[in-house]
Amino acid sequence: MASSVLTSEYAGATRKRGPRALQGLPFVLPYLPLLIVFGIAPTIYALDLAFTDVGGGWVGFHNFVRTYDDFRFIPAFKHVLAYTSVWLGALMVFVVGLALLLHGRANRVSATFRFLFYMPGALAGSAAVLVWLFMLDPSVSPGSFLLHHVLGADIFAQSIAPGNLPFIFAMIAFWTGAGGWIVVMYGALNTIPHDLEEAARIDGAGPIAIALRLKLPLIRKWIAYMVILSFATGTQLFVEPQIVQTASFGLVPDTWSANQLAYQLAFRYADFNGAAAIAVDLLVIGLAAAVLIVTRGGLFRAED
Amino acid sequence: MRIRVVGLGARLVILLTFAVFFVAPVLWLLLAPTKSDKALITNSPFSFGDFHHVALAWKHLDAFSSHIFRRWIGNTLFYALSATAITLVAGVPAGYGLAIGRFPGRRLVLSMTLVVMIVPAAALVLPIFLELNAVHLIGSSLSVILPFSFFPFGVYLAYLYYATALPPSLLDAARVDGCGELQTFLRVALPLAKPIVALVFFFSFVADWNNFFLPYVVLADSNQYPITVGLWDLLSATPSFNPSVGGGGQSVNIFKPELALATLIAVVPVAIVFLFSQRALVRGLVGGAVKE
Amino acid sequence: MKMHRRAFTLVTLVAVAAAALISASTSGASRHVGASGSITVWVDAVRLPVAKLYAKTHPNVHVNIVTFDGDGNGATTMQTKIQLWNRTGHGWPDVIFSEQANDPVWMAQKPFDFALNLNGVFPKNLLKGWPSPSLAQCTVNGQLVCLQDNLAQEVLYVNKKLMTQFGYTVPKTWQQWAAIGQKVAADHPGYIIGNIGDSYGAWLYLWADKCPISQVVAPNTVRINSTDSHCTRMANLLDPLIKSGVVPPESVFTADFATKWGGDNDKILMMPGPVWYAKDIFSGTLHVPAGELTAATPLRWNDEPLVTGQVGGGPWIVSKHSKNVAAAIDFVKYATTSLAVKSKVDALSPGYPSYGPDASVWLTSLDKDPYFAAPEGPAFKAAANLIWKGWSMVTYPDQPVWSNTVVTQLVAGKTLSSLLSAFGDGLAQNAQAAGYKVVRK
């Protein structure tokens, strides 16, 4: 019905007012219920839960204080902080570095490497953790030499010593996630006009100088996107510690990460308000990081 | 010249080291089901056993909990394909609508989509659980499919794609010809949609296949688990990884080779989707603006 | 003649009818003549065979068997599941087996409110077969909410062959045991006399020495005094043994343990452990050669009265929400009793049955088993009544606290004495989070 009205109006294509004000809306309509029900409403619901108690009464910041005082809260957030730092550091250094290394001349070699890096991405989630349970067990792993010399581990219990955990989880996440981001960065590097590169080469710049001084700044936006999205997924860490907890017979606690603590609060103690408070904590941290990166990284500056 | 060669050599060494890091575990996984549980410890990690052990491992795996493994794979296919279908039908046109649209609230929808992408799933899953519970959907497949089908990343990708790859001239031409909105969409946007559909299909399917937290929370019946949660269930129900206080349980017959085989089978569908989407991926990832 | 035949028929009919009536009225509290319908049971891997056996021998009952982690090693799987079912109002299984002896405590109370009161539902004459401490462990707020599947008292396993070979006598006290340990470290390095890396290490060594770290002293109040003399003296005894490697901080369930000390190496000289280690662990998991092992009475501290620890002894719980209580009870009855019947169809029970008559059958069979160098039965039976009663079942698991506060640090080289305080703190925090008041003295 809307389209027939619009059709009759299009006799003169120069009109830009009236029914055209709703142009595009019908296509967005099927998506809106999903956005509201599974995006916006839960966010608001989470905020509501975080500031109310079981009966629904307003309690201000009580849930936040209460969960902060929980003896598992600070360790969980410390763990997540350590994990996210290592994870983002590895992403920024290795993903960008590898993408730059791949963005050279030999395209078929480059494509082969990209595929090899990308392969583990198919094993995200619990499958990847299961593979690494074997990789971290010195009695089975092909890397037992490395486990012994790098982690000082001769038995599985030593591989997953508490101090090693942030690095181990970051390594698993890197193993599955890096390939995808390398492909994205590589694609981003491909948007750099060739003449810029040629000009720099003619000026006498070596490959390292070109990579660091020319290419790197031009993909700054993409690096920022990667960091923002990875920060958000990083703070949500759940699968890896949860599975390693079972496989280690309890050597890793079931509230190692903040997300695990939220889960336990919700489903073991039926404390949805406390769980929501932790979720809101994570949300605030994620948004704060996003804002920081956007403003410091000059993400929306015009000249790019 | 010498520096160039050394540089090239150094570059190759670094790339090879990382390649080994990424590939070695996958190679181990491929070879693991061919060996017996004991051989996995005693023999070289990259040795090949024989196919007899693979068949045996499958037999044990299939026998676990009355063929529940097959059910898990079936469930995951069902959830991922259904949810991705909804995502495509709702999300691609939405991206188009947001790209060419001029309705009030367009920017709002766009920013909401972006913001929700950053909101941690931890914040959303628990309220979603309560929402689903309020409408008595907990325990049905919809409790997994519907949340899965909300895929803001896909919508945003479609928006970026149409915003950059759709020449306004094509749109105007269609309108001048007297096309209504729907016809414009069908005539102009849909034919161009193939790369973005492939892209969103890939991301959505993989994300749904690998999702652990949501199904872990909303599904109480292990018969409904997708394979991600199923793998964890398999791990926790087998004595070699979660020994029972009470000893024994060896009759369950799930040891390292079976677990490795389970993991391998769990990634086959995604690997297939990977292989087929490789091309669309590299080309389409940067919003169609990659210049080959 | 006809008259006699008719009378005879009549009498027979009456007799048969009477017999039927009598048997119907004694076949259980319900009016069902036999179990039927369908039930869902959640079991761990070890109980799976008996569940399958029930299904096979009771074709009238459709048994839906779900294998899960059994809440092993202090997991909280059941708590999260029951919350989920309570919230959605459906999905509860009819019978659950749990490896955690303390699960029934919270299952019987709000907000979980899951366990069925078995008083008056389970046949009384059968209940008499359970030892009273076992029934006491399953009694919460005066209600019997579970039935223990197997007893789990701790004994001292001894490798008779190696002991004779090295010329040691079987120790009767912890002090003698430790002294042998010192000798072994010097003369026969590589051999072990125990281990402390399992999640239940506290039960093996601290429970056995009356360390008061899980003692309910008043309603909702628990004493957790990890620096009590009983705890510190045991830690002092163990520390040099852990350091010298004769009591390693590793779990018997790791492949590594079996490779290092089991199988062909055969380096397990002695090992404090529960009765269910018997054959399944030593033969099945660790592959210790036959004809070497036996069990001795648990160790005592110097000349103090003999007590020992307990490792598990999991309960069967029936759901309050069960729609087929008759079949559920029948299942639990089958799983916990009638071993003589079951063992004709399938293998022996993996653990020491709680049900007395079954225990006798089990012990007799065990003593005939040529795997053991000498009968273990006497030691098992003796230890059954020696479990220290000062350790209470509480609503929170202590295994994870032991694992991630103590074992991780023992692996890193710290001493047990230095960790007792932190262990106590961890237990106190968990107790408080579960709603208990904690007394630290």
Side-chain angles (χ1 to χ4, degrees):
Chain A
M1 114 212 114
S3 53
S4 58
V5 171
L6 291 166
T7 316
S8 63
E9 296 291 335
Y10 281 160
T14 49
R15 285 202 59 176
K16 293 212 190 286
R17 296 253 159 125
R20 228 161 148 221
L22 290 179
Q23 177 187 348
L25 185 60
F27 298 103
V28 183
L29 279 178
Y31 166 67
L32 285 182
L34 290 172
L35 175 64
I36 295 172
V37 174
F38 297 111
I40 301 178
T43 311
I44 299 178
Y45 198 172
L47 286 166
D48 174 70
L49 278 174
F51 289 99
T52 58
D53 66 16
V54 183
W58 180 266
V59 289
F61 284 99
H62 175 69
N63 290 323
F64 291 92
V65 174
R66 185 168 59 81
T67 50
Y68 180 80
D69 284 336
D70 190 301
F71 68 95
R72 295 159 289 199
F73 184 92
I74 298 202
F77 274 88
K78 264 204 207 146
H79 296 150
V80 169
L81 182 67
Y83 161 79
T84 312
S85 314
V86 177
W87 159 231
L88 289 181
L91 273 187
M92 286 196 285
V93 172
F94 294 126
V95 166
V96 176
L98 286 171
L100 286 169
L101 278 178
L102 286 172
H103 193 248
R105 298 289 178 80
N107 266 324
R108 194 171 293 166
V109 173
S110 177
T112 315
F113 273 114
R114 281 202 315 277
F115 176 70
L116 290 179
F117 294 165
Y118 200 34
M119 234 193 333
L123 282 106
S126 52
V129 186
L130 284 183
V131 172
W132 279 94
L133 280 180
F134 292 119
M135 295 299 107
L136 290 168
D137 187 348
S139 57
V140 181
S141 169
S144 49
F145 176 82
L146 285 168
L147 288 173
H148 177 80
H149 284 98
V150 173
L151 292 179
D154 294 311
I155 54 174
F156 181 60
Q158 285 170 321
S159 292
I160 55 168
N164 294 340
L165 289 175
F167 293 94
I168 289 184
F169 294 140
M171 180 173 62
I172 299 177
F174 178 82
W175 186 73
T176 53
W181 284 116
I182 291 175
V183 171
V184 171
M185 288 300 143
Y186 182 84
L189 285 169
N190 273 344
T191 61
I192 299 174
H194 286 268
D195 14 325
L196 272 179
E197 230 181 299
E198 280 308 310
R201 203 161 294 149
I202 290 169
D203 277 353
I208 297 184
I210 295 181
L212 293 178
R213 299 240 224 88
L214 174 69
K215 295 183 183 176
L216 192 56
L218 287 176
I219 58 168
R220 203 174 50 218
K221 196 159 64 172
W222 294 97
I223 300 179
Y225 282 149
M226 176 177 75
V227 173
I228 292 177
L229 286 183
S230 302
F231 192 96
T233 50
T235 50
Q236 299 172 43
L237 187 64
F238 185 84
V239 185
E240 288 85 347
Q242 190 74 354
I243 292 184
V244 177
Q245 182 249 333
T246 306
S248 68
F249 317 152
L251 287 176
V252 175
D254 63 3
T255 50
W256 192 86
S257 77
N259 202 355
Q260 285 179 297
L261 179 59
Y263 175 79
Q264 288 291 322
L265 283 178
F267 291 99
R268 185 177 153 200
Y269 299 100
D271 180 10
F272 272 90
N273 304 90
I278 295 187
V280 171
D281 289 336
L282 290 174
L283 164 59
V284 166
I285 294 174
L287 279 178
V291 166
L292 205 72
I293 295 167
V294 164
T295 50
R296 291 292 304 277
L299 205 60
F300 292 145
R301 246 186 270 145
E303 84 259 9
D304 285 332
Chain B
M1 188 59 198
R2 198 130 140 262
I3 298 177
R4 283 277 295 285
V5 173
V6 168
L8 212 65
R11 188 173 147 223
L12 208 59
V13 166
I14 298 176
L15 288 174
L16 275 174
T17 312
F18 274 92
V20 168
F21 168 71
F22 283 108
V23 175
V26 180
L27 196 57
W28 182 92
L29 186 67
L30 281 168
L31 292 169
T34 64
K35 295 179 270 221
S36 71
D37 195 47
K38 192 149 186 238
L40 275 171
I41 307 178
T42 50
N43 296 2
S44 153
F46 294 118
S47 60
F48 182 82
D50 55 59
F51 286 112
H52 164 70
H53 280 114
V54 182
L56 199 62
W58 168 250
K59 198 166 129 220
H60 292 156
L61 187 60
D62 197 33
F64 176 75
S65 231
S66 344
H67 310 293
I68 205 172
F69 190 79
R70 296 192 209 184
R71 234 187 327 266
W72 287 336
I73 299 274
N75 289 342
T76 327
L77 274 171
F78 175 51
Y79 299 151
L81 287 173
S82 315
T84 303
I86 302 178
T87 300
L88 286 172
V89 166
V92 173
Y96 168 76
L98 288 168
I100 59 105
R102 281 158 196 279
F103 54 91
R106 184 192 80 104
R107 275 236 183 84
L108 184 65
V109 173
L110 214 46
S111 27
M112 286 286 103
T113 302
L114 262 179
V115 168
V116 170
M117 269 200 275
I118 300 178
V119 173
L124 298 183
V125 170
L126 301 178
I128 288 178
F129 170 78
L130 290 171
E131 274 179 358
L132 291 168
N133 190 35
V135 293
H136 302 291
L137 274 180
I138 296 288
S140 91
S141 315
L142 286 176
S143 68
V144 173
I145 295 175
L146 289 180
F148 274 4
S149 54
F150 170 60
F151 193 51
F153 183 62
V155 172
Y156 197 69
L157 272 183
Y159 157 72
L160 275 182
Y161 176 77
Y162 278 121
T164 51
L166 200 59
S169 47
L170 266 178
L171 275 176
D172 290 336
R175 295 216 185 91
V176 161
D177 281 355
C179 284
E181 282 304 307
L182 184 62
Q183 279 167 293
T184 314
F185 175 73
L186 292 172
R187 242 182 72 169
V188 177
L190 219 46
L192 278 177
K194 219 161 99 183
I196 191 63
V197 165
L199 214 59
V200 175
F201 176 88
F202 171 78
F203 279 115
S204 169
F205 184 87
V206 173
D208 295 341
W209 188 273
N210 289 327
N211 192 317
F212 182 87
F213 194 45
L214 177 81
Y216 184 80
V217 167
V218 303
L219 295 173
D221 183 357
S222 54
N223 277 310
Q224 291 178 303
Y225 284 168
I227 192 62
T228 43
V229 186
L231 281 179
W232 169 82
D233 194 58
L234 192 66
L235 175 80
S236 63
T238 57
S240 41
F241 295 95
N242 192 22
S244 314
V245 166
Q250 316 295 330
S251 62
V252 168
N253 268 334
I254 302 285
F255 301 100
K256 294 192 242 312
E258 285 78 12
L259 213 57
L261 184 64
T263 313
L264 209 50
I265 299 179
V267 303
V268 161
V270 176
I272 294 178
V273 172
F274 252 57
L275 277 166
F276 279 115
S277 312
Q278 256 260 31
R279 190 162 286 189
L281 217 66
V282 178
R283 214 185 294 135
L285 256 174
V286 201
V290 173
K291 293 167 184 43
E292 288 291 321
Chain C
M1 216 37 186
K2 241 188 179 167
M3 273 295 284
H4 279 269
R5 257 228 308 264
R6 234 195 253 146
F8 180 68
T9 319
L10 198 61
V11 167
T12 318
L13 277 171
V14 170
V16 167
L21 272 172
I22 293 168
S23 69
S25 66
T26 53
S27 70
S30 68
R31 302 228 176 262
H32 296 246
V33 176
S36 62
S38 87
I39 52 170
T40 303
V41 302
W42 279 51
V43 292
D44 66 345
V46 184
R47 266 37 72 162
L48 181 61
V50 76
K52 281 200 181 138
L53 199 59
Y54 180 85
K56 199 164 117 188
T57 53
H58 293 73
N60 284 342
V61 185
H62 174 69
V63 187
N64 180 24
I65 305 174
V66 177
T67 335
F68 75 117
D69 64 4
D71 260 4
N73 297 304
T76 52
T77 313
M78 264 301 124
Q79 283 178 325
T80 49
K81 288 290 188 209
I82 292 181
Q83 289 271 25
L84 200 61
W85 291 316
N86 285 355
R87 211 170 257 282
T88 57
H90 66 262
W92 305 275
D94 299 275
V95 179
I96 296 180
F97 174 82
S98 169
E99 296 172 12
Q100 269 194 61
N102 63 326
D103 270 354
V105 180
W106 56 261
M107 281 187 185
Q109 303 178 65
K110 286 203 175 352
F112 301 93
D113 211 17
F114 174 83
L116 179 68
N117 184 358
L118 296 174
N119 282 341
V121 186
F122 205 83
K124 269 203 176 53
N125 56 334
L126 276 181
L127 280 180
K128 293 204 196 89
W130 268 261
S132 49
S134 173
L135 290 176
Q137 196 171 282
C138 268
T139 306
V140 178
N141 295 335
Q143 301 193 334
L144 182 71
V145 290
C146 65
L147 277 177
Q148 207 179 15
D149 178 75
N150 56 292
L151 300 183
Q153 61 274 28
E154 176 190 347
V155 294
L156 179 70
Y157 288 96
V158 173
N159 188 322
K160 197 155 176 236
K161 167 172 162 265
L162 290 173
M163 292 289 277
T164 322
Q165 192 180 315
F166 295 155
Y168 300 137
T169 41
V170 176
K172 290 253 174 297
T173 67
W174 286 104
Q175 283 68 26
Q176 290 168 349
W177 175 80
I180 295 179
Q182 313 246 4
K183 280 203 223 125
V184 166
D187 304 332
H188 308 282
Y191 285 80
I192 60 171
I193 61 166
N195 76 310
I196 197 166
D198 281 298
S199 63
Y200 44 82
W203 302 344
L204 285 174
Y205 298 103
L206 299 179
W207 185 330
D209 196 36
K210 305 191 282 275
C211 172
I213 49 176
S214 186
Q215 202 173 69
V216 171
V217 293
N220 256 350
T221 312
V222 62
R223 163 178 292 139
I224 301 176
N225 186 359
S226 59
T227 48
D228 179 278
S229 62
H230 292 91
C231 318
T232 50
R233 69 184 190 182
M234 180 51 91
N236 284 330
L237 183 97
L238 286 169
D239 278 334
L241 301 171
I242 300 174
K243 188 151 183 231
S244 63
V246 292
V247 179
E250 287 194 50
S251 161
V252 292
F253 298 102
T254 53
D256 194 70
F257 198 98
T259 316
K260 278 210 226 36
W261 296 295
D264 297 329
N265 281 331
D266 197 18
K267 290 208 156 86
I268 303 172
L269 185 62
M270 291 185 279
M271 185 175 278
V275 292
W276 49 263
Y277 272 11
K279 198 163 174 196
D280 268 339
I281 293 297
F282 288 114
S283 173
T285 308
L286 297 174
H287 309 294
V288 174
E292 300 188 12
L293 286 166
T294 184
T297 44
L299 299 163
R300 73 167 70 211
W301 190 271
N302 277 328
D303 49 8
E304 290 179 15
L306 179 53
V307 290
T308 191
Q310 174 181 273
V311 181
W316 291 95
I317 306 114
V318 179
S319 163
K320 234 183 212 171
H321 311 273
S322 172
K323 299 220 167 34
N324 195 350
V325 177
I329 296 291
D330 194 56
F331 179 89
V332 173
K333 207 169 81 174
Y334 184 83
T336 51
T337 67
S338 60
L339 184 58
V341 174
K342 283 186 299 196
S343 60
K344 288 196 178 67
V345 188
D346 200 340
L348 219 44
S349 162
Y352 185 129
S354 296
Y355 182 60
D358 276 16
S360 307
V361 175
W362 191 77
L363 285 170
T364 314
S365 186
L366 198 72
D367 286 344
K368 290 209 201 93
D369 195 323
Y371 177 75
F372 301 106
E376 302 189 318
F380 285 2
K381 210 156 171 213
N385 289 321
L386 296 172
I387 300 171
W388 183 53
K389 296 188 177 55
W391 191 290
S392 322
M393 294 294 122
V394 287
T395 61
Y396 58 92
D398 59 67
Q399 288 165 281
V401 187
W402 173 263
S403 289
N404 57 60
T405 341
V406 178
V407 180
T408 49
Q409 300 307 316
L410 289 177
V411 167
K414 295 227 177 70
T415 62
L416 181 56
S417 307
S418 65
L419 296 166
L420 282 179
S421 190
F423 180 45
D425 292 341
L427 287 172
Q429 286 165 334
N430 273 279
Q432 280 158 345
Y436 284 92
K437 264 205 292 283
V438 178
V439 172
R440 296 302 301 273
K441 289 230 183 308

